[in-house]
């Protein structure tokens, strides 16, 4: 069995914000199988409530580009960063071929990588591992 970054280390919390329940559950199972603690939420408000209730600080954020109520994953990541007062690493995931260039440009300009669905799992795992090893 290969070692994962979370094993033997301090708590590594991955926040996942995805408004589709089935996709959210899939992410949660995936990250838990990689030995990360997961806060899975359908909105940034729900994520912040869970982080506060569990007294956790996020180490990494995964957010779908298009969230409910016209919100974006870029906005969700920025809001969590503002709340915690730190530049928490994150990635925006999109399966939306019509995602506006301006919207994705916001992500890139904010220093957020963008992954397109279907997400290549080794790429996601590598990004997560490298980001958490720097924090």
């Amino acid at each position: 069995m290969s070692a994962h970054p979370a094993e033997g280390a301090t708590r590594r919390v991955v926040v996942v914000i995805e408004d589709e329940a089935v996709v959210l559950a899939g992410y949660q199972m995936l990250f838990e199988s990689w030995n990360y603690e997961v806060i899975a939420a359908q909105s940034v408000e729900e994520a912040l409530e869970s982080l506060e209730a569990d007294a956790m600080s996020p180490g990494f954020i995964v957010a779908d580009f298009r969230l409910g109520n016209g919100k974006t994953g870029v906005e969700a990541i920025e809001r969590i960063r503002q709340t915690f007062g730190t530049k928490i690493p994150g990635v925006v995931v999109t399966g939306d071929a019509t995602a506006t260039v301006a919207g994705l440009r916001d992500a890139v300009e904010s220093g957020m990588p963008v992954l397109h669905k279907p997400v290549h799992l080794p790429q996601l795992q590598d990004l997560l591992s490298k980001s958490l090893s720097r924090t």
Side-chain angles (χ1 to χ4, degrees):
M1 180 177 185
S2 65
H4 295 287
E7 292 174 351
T10 57
R11 289 172 24 167
R12 300 294 191 170
V13 179
V14 176
V15 175
V16 181
I17 305 171
E18 165 62 64
D19 59 347
E20 291 185 45
V22 172
V23 176
L24 182 63
Y27 276 124
Q28 182 169 1
M29 290 187 323
L30 175 68
F31 291 125
E32 287 174 350
S33 77
W34 290 345
N35 297 315
Y36 292 100
E37 292 191 53
V38 180
I39 297 292
Q42 291 185 301
S43 69
V44 68
E45 293 81 14
E46 185 181 329
L48 289 169
E49 287 172 14
S50 294
L51 287 163
E52 183 178 330
D54 294 338
M56 294 180 156
S57 295
F60 192 85
I61 308 162
V62 177
D64 190 48
F65 180 69
R66 293 209 185 273
L67 298 171
N69 299 322
K71 303 289 183 188
T72 70
V74 176
E75 294 166 338
I77 291 171
E78 287 299 334
R79 181 150 172 222
I80 291 173
R81 286 176 172 175
Q82 289 170 357
T83 300
F84 284 86
T86 184
K87 191 166 175 83
I88 301 157
V91 63
V92 176
V93 179
T94 184
D96 188 350
T98 65
T100 65
V101 173
L104 292 177
R105 189 173 349 133
D106 290 345
V108 173
E109 287 174 359
S110 299
M112 294 176 217
V114 176
L115 297 178
H116 294 273
K117 295 178 185 177
V119 173
H120 184 64
L121 297 184
Q123 182 183 16
L124 177 59
Q125 189 174 31
D126 185 57
L127 179 62
L128 181 61
S129 177
K130 285 179 180 173
S131 294
L132 287 174
S133 69
R134 284 186 237 141
T135 57

